[in-house]
Amino acid sequence: MRLPSINLPSSSPIGGIDVDRLGQRGAASIRDGVLPDLPSVRSLRLDQVGKLLRRHRDVLEADPQGEPVVRREILAWGMDPAALATALAEGSRIERELGDDQPGLPELRMLVLRVPDGSETATVLARLRALDPGGVYDFNHIYTGSAAGLTGSTTAGATHVASSVASPVAGAGVAPSRGGPRVGLVDSGVDTSHAVFQGARIERWGCAGQPHPSAHGTAVAALMVGQSGRFRGGAPQADLYAADIYCDSPTGGSADKIAAALAWLAGEKVAVINLSLVGPANGALERIVGALQQRGHLLVAAVGNDGPAAPPLYPASYPGVVGVSAVDRNGRTLPEAARGPQVMFAAPGNHMVSAAPGAPAFRPVRGTSFAAPLVAALLSQSVAGPSKAQAAAAIAALARQAVRADGATVSNETGYGIVGAALRIDPASVR
């Protein structure tokens, strides 16, 4: 397993995506008969990545490792004022400033810089790093949904992608807070009109207040707070704070949108936050994640479906993030699920259904995307607000409940063990 990418700049122009190079990450996980009911890894996340770059070359490009990034944008965290002045004098400009709406959270502030016309993103990135070794600079990477499958719909990242950051907007007709726990979601849009959300309180953020319902976001949200006669999520009593970072824009799911959503959730003091999305390591995003953890927020993330031999995906692999894998109804780890020390828990992620926009109202889902929200929902019931002590206690308590094959070993497949088995909704129960 190679070390995670640190996105070293290249002296040559960044061209289109190197699908073969990316494909090598998951190729080792495909053996005869290992994925009998799935297409190859190439046609999962990597195929989404390739489609994004081919369809949106005007706004996206590839970094030196072949990962998609927003064209000519650089993220800057902790930038020295002198370095900023030099960068502006050399033709860069400030595209956006993140975190200014959270004055009490200065560590969440970040700049999005626009590279000068005629300059290569990687070259300017190298220049900024040389000017300011104490700052953190990186590409504005794109992150995609970590679903292996969502029958009858697209998964986040293939078609659901974000516009400019917007102010929080309460969903139409949502109920008042019930005084229960708060749980956060960073994903694509949620269809709040679905029957499972009747009576739920869902506070929405992003997309300039305009709803963009998505199959992926709706399914994940339902597994967290949904409830109806035939369906129950992990924490139906919780208030959901849902950030849509896609909004059907070609640059959706970018690192700066994730950072802005996390800043909003921090400002709302949402203790437990689920991220069912995956992508490469990003230095600026890692600092934002670390800043939330220092304030006592608990981040839960899907480990991804690139296969057991693939390198770590992020944000699940950042230190302190609760990485979640997926198992089937027999407790077997899904063959496409990632393995490694980043796995802290496993939860149901196959032979199950969740809510979906339109008809049918419930559809089969598969992947680590749908295991992570169950773990986030369970953890949210033990954390009243951002608190490092409460977060640690909640993880320890859930670990004691987890089921392990030998009762003791912490493994790279299921971490502390399997939780939430009773929350799996069998497809036969909603027919």
Side-chain angles (χ1 to χ4, degrees):
M1 180 180 294
R2 67 170 177 80
L3 293 173
S5 164
I6 57 173
N7 301 314
L8 293 175
S10 170
S11 59
S12 60
I14 299 176
I17 185 172
D18 188 343
V19 176
D20 290 333
R21 188 186 310 168
L22 278 173
Q24 291 170 5
R25 298 180 177 182
S29 67
I30 303 175
R31 300 289 185 267
D32 292 341
V34 170
L35 301 179
D37 56 342
L38 286 177
S40 70
V41 171
R42 178 187 295 271
S43 65
L44 299 173
R45 185 182 74 90
L46 304 182
D47 188 47
Q48 293 181 20
V49 167
K51 287 179 180 177
L52 279 174
L53 283 166
R54 287 191 295 272
R55 293 175 179 173
H56 304 291
R57 293 182 182 275
D58 56 329
V59 291
L60 300 179
E61 59 183 314
D63 75 359
Q65 283 70 45
E67 296 284 357
V69 302
V70 181
R71 184 174 291 278
R72 297 177 56 239
E73 284 191 358
I74 292 174
L75 304 183
W77 183 91
M79 191 173 190
D80 180 75
L84 176 59
T86 301
L88 296 178
E90 293 177 352
S92 293
R93 71 173 189 269
I94 298 174
E95 188 77 1
R96 294 182 295 283
E97 296 186 49
L98 307 179
D100 279 353
D101 56 343
Q102 303 293 341
L105 303 170
E107 67 272 37
L108 300 184
R109 292 181 180 175
M110 187 166 64
L111 295 179
V112 181
L113 301 178
R114 171 67 64 173
V115 171
D117 292 339
S119 299
E120 297 175 9
T121 310
T123 301
V124 176
L125 178 59
R127 169 67 172 158
L128 289 170
R129 288 172 172 168
L131 278 172
D132 184 16
V136 177
Y137 302 90
D138 215 327
F139 295 97
N140 194 3
H141 286 104
I142 298 293
Y143 291 75
T144 59
S146 58
L150 188 60
T151 302
S153 65
T154 56
T155 56
T159 59
H160 299 289
V161 285
S163 60
S164 59
V165 175
S167 300
V169 178
V174 297
S177 175
R178 293 163 292 179
R182 293 182 173 190
V183 63
L185 174 62
V186 179
D187 208 288
S188 48
V190 178
D191 181 6
T192 58
S193 67
H194 197 285
V196 298
F197 300 122
Q198 298 304 309
R201 182 178 187 272
I202 302 179
E203 190 83 8
R204 294 187 293 110
W205 176 96
C207 312
Q210 298 302 310
H212 290 264
S214 154
H216 189 274
T218 300
V220 173
L223 291 168
M224 298 174 78
V225 303
Q227 186 173 26
S228 68
R230 300 175 294 170
F231 185 93
R232 186 181 188 280
Q237 77 282 10
D239 294 341
L240 179 65
Y241 286 70
D244 185 353
I245 61 167
Y246 290 97
C247 311
D248 300 317
S249 164
T251 56
S254 57
D256 74 301
K257 303 302 189 298
I258 299 173
L262 291 175
W264 169 63
L265 291 165
E268 296 292 332
K269 295 181 171 53
V270 178
V272 180
I273 302 167
N274 182 77
L275 302 101
S276 287
L277 43 86
V278 294
N282 182 282
L285 182 59
E286 182 176 8
R287 293 303 179 100
I288 300 296
V289 168
L292 262 74
Q293 291 172 335
Q294 285 300 311
R295 288 184 169 271
H297 296 270
L298 191 54
L299 275 62
V300 180
V303 297
N305 307 293
D306 280 16
L313 292 171
Y314 297 83
S317 297
Y318 289 132
V321 174
V322 179
V324 181
S325 185
V327 296
D328 63 16
R329 61 188 166 198
N330 297 313
R332 296 176 298 203
T333 304
L334 299 191
E336 70 271 21
R339 271 73 158 172
Q342 72 273 29
V343 179
M344 194 175 294
F345 293 102
N350 193 22
H351 303 123
M352 58 190 281
V353 296
S354 190
F362 297 93
R363 301 176 196 173
V365 295
R366 172 172 179 150
T368 60
S369 264
F370 310 109
L374 296 178
V375 173
L378 292 172
L379 288 169
S380 71
Q381 299 175 45
S382 303
V383 184
S387 164
K388 294 174 73 172
Q390 288 189 31
I395 292 175
L398 193 60
R400 288 193 293 270
Q401 301 171 23
V403 176
R404 294 186 282 275
D406 61 3
T409 304
V410 177
S411 75
N412 285 342
E413 289 194 8
T414 61
Y416 290 117
I418 301 169
V419 298
L423 297 174
R424 185 183 66 83
I425 306 296
D426 191 279
S429 66
V430 296
R431 288 175 183 166

